[in-house]
Each structure stands twice: as structure tokens, then as C-alpha cells.
Amino acid sequence: MSIRPIDAMAIPLKSAHFLIFLLLVSNIFTPIISLGSTIDQEREEFYEELLLRPLPDRKVLAHFHFQSTAPSSNSNGRHHHLFPKAISQLVQKFQIKEMELSFTQGRWNYELWGGFDPISSSNAKPPGVELWAVFDVPQDQVDATWKNLTHTLSGLFCASINFLESSTMYSAPQWSFRPATGNIRYGMLPREAVCTENLTPWLKLLPCRDKDGLSALMDRPSIYKSFYHSQRLHLTSNKSGPEGMNPGIILEQTLTVVLQPNSQRTSVTYSGEKNVQPSWSLSSIFGRKVSGRCVLAKSSNVYLQLERGLVAELKKNKNNGVGNIASEGFWSGTGFELSVRPDKVFEEENSSHRRGSSVLFEFSIDKYSDSQPFDLGLKWKFPVTWSSEPAPLHASRFLMGSGNERGAIAILLKSADLNDASLGTCSSSNGYKFRVDVFQVVPWYVKVYYHTLQLFVNGQPKAVGDVIETIHVSPSKDKISPGVMEMVLQFPCDVKSAALTLEFDKGFLHIDEYPPDANQGFDIPSAAISFPNFYTSLLFPGNCSVDKSPMLSKFQEKNPVLSYTEVLLVPLTTPDFSMPYNVITITCTVFALYFGSLLNVLRRRVDEEERLLKSKAGKTTPLSGLLSKLSAKLRGRPQETPQSPSNSSSLISSKLLLKVFLVAVLAVAWQYYFG
């Protein structure tokens, strides 16, 4: 079969004109469409960064930071090049101004890992799930929007966030929480377990997921065997763009992990072997190397930070002789050695801390590939000890009392070294006081008596009015809402310790309200302790690449110091959960006896039994008669004569009637007492 070519002259003249018109239209509008797409694509940006920091207790902090930005859009089905569409639809559906969701396993050690830096204040989260959101909706629609949001996030991240829809699980802070406004809702699930089912949806929001770039380092076994890991998602939506901000959506994803590197012995031994920091590399702590940046990322950088205390200790050592700490040879001439030469070295400026300034090494991933992967390593040359900078007051919380009826909650604040002039303007001479904000949510079944509040400063009892400047209390309502307490405390600048106690009674729950592991106890969420007079910020020289780094730009923001207390475990009176099992067992036994006897009576056949007896009586043999006589003599009784069939039949019928009567009496009694 041959195909004949189409003759161009066979096309009608009108069709030719129509084709020419289509070609002209496509040539005119195609550049415009491509230009608009290019503009949108240029406005959507993605950054990936990793911060590494050695810790004083021989551990390593790894802080992943990913940021995606998208322009504002009014259409719900807008196509995105880099920004995750699910987050864009979430913002537009529920009118979210700001939202933060965190999944945390373990507790941040404020004493060893620091409490006065941007990571500990903004990325150290309480155990379990923490969610808060600010909505741009009318006040009467906030609760309904919150409930719908919890269900959506529960399906998006494969977690039990939908439990926060109940009014007993969330609260509305007035002013003590950082972004507190009239349309904020806050909830926590302290016992929520964190696993790979939560991390995988979180990684799917990244343009390269975990296949390329810095996210390829996220080895699941390395992350989940760590001492502490917290994945966080912070969302900011800005429609109009006030205060110099561009309108659009900013999605910030962070993963903070505290790892224990494998100890790698060096050829040199020291007398203080326990003080020698372990040498480590990316391949040793994560089991992987960086093969290059994500091709969709605008920038991909790795930073190594040395804390102020560590830099001060390195300067004190006589073997280094360092003059300028940000010099080119600092990365190999002091007490440690890096396996990769840094691209830039920055020293913190405008730091009046007595410990000095921190140092930041920057490594660009653009020049690395599969043939030459990036594997940063740190090797210590001599023992060094230092301490991280703690929060102004170390906060801890515990329970007092015994028994299952009543108890007390105590919050203890211990002073750190406040002699540093850079920590604020707190001074007894100028009349300033030390301010502490407390935000605590208590479940409804822990009935707190707020009038029993007692305060102790430096071990001495104080009047409530002398210490508390402002207080807002929302008492709990049974099975309706939790109890919320917000306080502003004003302590003298020379405070060494402070404590406050609150008495409570333990309530009773319905049997359906107990969790499966009720004997383990019930959790009271962590309390948030903030210090508004103290700010955390890291300021680096203006001529560096800080302006291009979203993570370092976040570190430069002045955020108040924030700490979370422990999660309290309260034992409540639990019923005997074996009683339902016992009742079910007894009921099943009675039913089995009743129906078993009834079926036995109904299915028995009297005629067959009579024929069986007759056949046995007719088959009497001499041997059997002799045996019966012998047994009768041995027992001393006369020989029993076989009953006639009529007698046996009457006996069987009387027994049958008796059983039927008993079954009927049991049925009537059961219906009378239990029916």
C-alpha cells in the first residue's frame, strides 16, 4: 500500500488563510507566555544550607536549613516551579498568616548544648508535636479553621495531629507567646512518636527531595539513633508586603540533629584522654558524602561554626600563636585541622561578650560533583574543653506531693552568670529588673488552684504582687478546655534562684477517655519560659555572603531567648481494666450452659434410646450373667434384674421433663433479672 503525498494546491484557500493566522498568533503570544513563565520561575527561589558545630560533650550539632519562596497568587490552582503546591493551597485555603509545626524526639540539653544562641531559641523544640498558627479570618471562624487545618496536616505528614482538633487540646495565648495575636491557636502532643513516616512527607516538599544536594545526607539510621532530632516547618504568608517585605509565601524547613561521632584515635596520646574531642567527618557521622548541590537551588553552602567559648580556649593555647582569628591560616594552624580548605572565614562582629567572638567557615558546594564529592572533616590536635553559653536562667519543672488525689507543680529558675554586660541593661542602680515570661498549658483533668500560687526568690517567700507584674489565667473546664496560665515576672537583677508552685487535684476520667497505656501516666505539655530583655543574634561582617544566606539572615534577627521545660508525667487513678474481661467471661459461660442444655434437650431422640436399651437387654449371655452374679456376691447385694423397657422409658421421660423444666426456669429468671 503506497501513501500518496498531499498536494498543497488541494488545500482550500480558506484553510490556508486559517493556518497562516494560527502561525502568526502563536509567534506573537508564545514569547509573552514564556516571558511570564520565566518571570515567575525567577521569583521562586530555593536555598539549601548546613551548619555544623562541635559541642562540649564530644557531640556534633548538624542544622539543615532549606528555604523556598513563592510570589503571591490569588488562584488556588497556580502552577509552581519550585515551591510545593500543597503548601500554597494550604495557605490559601485556611488564610494562614504564620504557622509552625515541629516533630521532636528527645530533649535539648540547655546546660551542655547552650541556651543563648539562635538555634537553641528558635529550633530547640519540646518533645512530641508542637503546632501553632495565626489565621487571617474573622474571630468567630478561627476555631473551625484550626480544626480543618489539623486534619489536613495530619494527612499531609502522616501523624496524629488531628487529635488537636478537640477543644481540650489547644489554647489561645493572649500575649506571652511570641506571635500572640487574637487569631492564634496553640497545641501540643507530648507523646507523639516521630519516625520516618513523618520525615518522608517533609522531604517531599523539597525540590530535590533527598536524592541530590545537602538533603542526600539525611540517612535515616543516622538521624533516628541520634540523641536529639527535631524537624521543623515554619510558614509565613505576606499578601501586601509591608515593612519592605515582598508579598508572597516563605517556607522554612529545618532539621536539627545532635550526633555522637565515632571516636577516631590519633597517634598522639594525652594525660587527659577524656577531654580529647573525637575527630569526625560527614561520611563518618552520616555515612554519606555530598556529591554536589541541588540543581534547582540558588545557593548551596556548608558552614562550620566555632562557639565563643571554644575560640577563647583556642586563643589561650600557647601553641597556636594566633593573631587574627579570621586569617587564612586559622583553619589549619590552631588546635584543629580541616580536611577541606574553606572558601571564606568570618569572625563575629559587634560582640561585647567577654568570651570573644564566634568564627564561621564557609564552604561552597558548587564546585563539587560525583567524581569529587564534598566530605568535610575535623581533626583535633590537642585536648580542649569549653562550655556553651547558657540562658540567663536555667528553667526546670517537676511535680511535688504523693498519692493519686492531689499534688503540686513547681517551676525552678536557677541563675546563670549574669555579670556579662552584653546581656542587657539589667542593673540594680538604674532601677531595671529582670523580666521572665511564663506560658503554661495544663490539661483539664489536672485541676489547678491558681489561688495557691506561691513565689520564692533566693529561698525567701515573696508576695505575689511584688514579683508578678501581669498575669492572665484561663481556668480549665471539664472536658471542654484546658487551663492556661500566662505570667510576667519581675526579679531583681541579683537573683540567684526563683521558684513558683501551684497546687492541683487530679480528676477522674470516663473509661472511654483513658488511652491504651493509661497505667503509664498522663503528660503535661512543656512550659515556655522566655526572656524578653535578652536577644540572640549573630552579626557577621557586611561584606560577606550573609545577605545571600537565609539561614545567617535569620541568625542576625533579634529574637528573645526562649527555653522549654520538661514534660511532666502525672499518674491518675485508673480503673481495673480487667473487670470488663471478667464480666464478658462470666456472661459467655452462662450463655454457653443455657444454650448447651437447651440444644441437648431439643436434639435428644427418646425412641432411639429405648431401642438401644432393648437390644442390650436381649443380648444377655451366660458369661455376662455369671459375671453379674459374681459381682453381686462380692458387694453383698442381691443381683439386679434388668428393668423392663417400659420402666426405663418412664425414667427417661421423667428426666427429660425435669431438664426442660429447669431450662425454662433459668430462661424466665434470666429475662426477669437481666432482660
Side-chain angles (χ1 to χ4, degrees), residues 380-391:
W380 297 95
K381 295 182 179 180
F382 56 83
V384 59
T385 57
W386 76 97
S387 60
S388 299
E389 194 169 1

Side-chain angles (χ1 to χ4, degrees), residues 38-323:
T38 304
I39 292 175
D40 290 342
Q41 187 173 4
E42 290 178 354
R43 295 181 64 184
E44 291 189 358
E45 297 176 348
F46 172 69
Y47 301 86
E48 58 175 2
E49 295 166 294
L50 170 62
L51 177 69
L52 300 172
R53 180 200 298 172
L55 297 176
D57 58 345
R58 300 169 57 87
K59 297 181 179 62
V60 178
L61 168 67
H63 177 69
F64 294 87
H65 185 277
F66 306 95
Q67 179 169 306
S68 302
T69 59
S72 61
S73 176
N74 297 325
S75 59
N76 192 31
R78 181 184 182 276
H79 175 71
H80 293 276
H81 299 277
L82 299 177
F83 197 84
K85 187 176 181 180
I87 301 299
S88 176
Q89 293 177 342
L90 194 74
V91 172
Q92 297 168 5
K93 175 68 176 178
F94 302 110
Q95 299 296 313
I96 299 175
K97 294 178 62 178
E98 190 174 4
M99 185 193 76
E100 183 172 292
L101 173 65
S102 63
F103 297 86
T104 306
Q105 190 74 28
R107 184 174 182 269
W108 182 267
N109 194 332
Y110 290 95
E111 293 180 322
L112 295 178
W113 304 339
F116 206 103
D117 60 279
I119 292 182
S120 62
S121 295
S122 301
N123 296 278
K125 295 299 177 181
V129 171
E130 182 191 38
L131 172 65
W132 58 264
V134 181
F135 302 97
D136 189 14
V137 296
Q139 187 67 32
D140 56 348
Q141 301 179 9
V142 175
D143 291 332
T145 307
W146 166 266
K147 294 179 180 179
N148 294 330
L149 175 64
T150 57
H151 281 273
T152 304
L153 293 175
S154 179
L156 187 61
F157 291 99
C158 299
S160 304
I161 308 176
N162 58 312
F163 288 166
L164 294 176
E165 71 162 347
S166 175
S167 60
T168 60
M169 299 298 294
Y170 67 89
S171 60
Q174 297 295 325
W175 39 262
S176 62
F177 203 66
R178 283 182 297 181
T181 59
N183 293 341
I184 185 176
R185 293 296 180 268
Y186 177 89
M188 286 184 61
L189 295 173
R191 200 174 292 189
E192 180 71 15
V194 183
C195 61
T196 55
E197 293 181 354
N198 311 125
L199 181 61
T200 301
W202 186 85
L203 289 173
K204 287 183 178 180
L205 301 177
L206 302 176
C208 295
R209 300 191 178 184
D210 59 345
K211 305 301 181 183
D212 198 6
L214 296 179
S215 58
L217 290 174
M218 296 182 184
D219 181 49
R220 305 302 195 276
S222 300
I223 293 176
Y224 288 101
K225 72 178 181 181
S226 61
F227 289 85
Y228 171 87
H229 64 89
S230 176
Q231 63 183 65
R232 169 176 163 267
L233 183 144
H234 186 268
L235 185 64
T236 304
S237 175
N238 188 16
K239 292 183 178 180
S240 58
E243 299 180 0
M245 296 178 58
N246 295 325
I249 307 174
I250 300 176
L251 174 63
E252 180 185 354
Q253 295 176 251
T254 62
L255 176 65
T256 307
V257 188
V258 176
L259 301 165
Q260 176 66 62
N262 298 325
S263 298
Q264 300 176 0
R265 298 281 181 174
T266 59
S267 58
V268 183
T269 58
Y270 304 94
S271 59
E273 188 71 23
K274 63 180 181 179
N275 296 329
V276 179
Q277 293 288 330
S279 301
W280 53 267
S281 63
L282 289 179
S283 58
S284 64
I285 60 178
F286 290 109
R288 300 176 181 178
K289 301 179 182 179
V290 181
S291 300
R293 70 179 184 91
C294 175
V295 294
L296 299 176
K298 188 173 182 180
S299 66
S300 179
N301 297 322
V302 175
Y303 299 94
L304 175 64
Q305 182 190 9
L306 303 183
E307 297 180 284
R308 302 183 182 102
L310 175 57
V311 174
E313 290 295 326
L314 293 176
K315 282 185 175 182
K316 290 179 182 178
N317 191 279
K318 298 180 180 180
N319 298 328
N320 52 47
V322 178

Side-chain angles (χ1 to χ4, degrees), residues 413-433:
L413 303 174
K414 289 185 178 181
S415 175
D417 190 359
L418 295 179
N419 294 326
D420 190 353
S422 66
L423 296 183
T425 57
C426 185
S427 176
S428 301
S429 59
N430 53 22
Y432 286 101
K433 288 189 176 182

Side-chain angles (χ1 to χ4, degrees), residues 433-453:
K433 288 189 176 182
F434 188 47
R435 176 178 171 180
V436 179
D437 292 354
V438 179
F439 171 66
Q440 182 173 238
V441 180
V442 181
W444 66 267
Y445 44 79
V446 178
K447 306 180 185 301
V448 178
Y449 298 107
Y450 295 98
H451 69 278
T452 63
L453 176 64

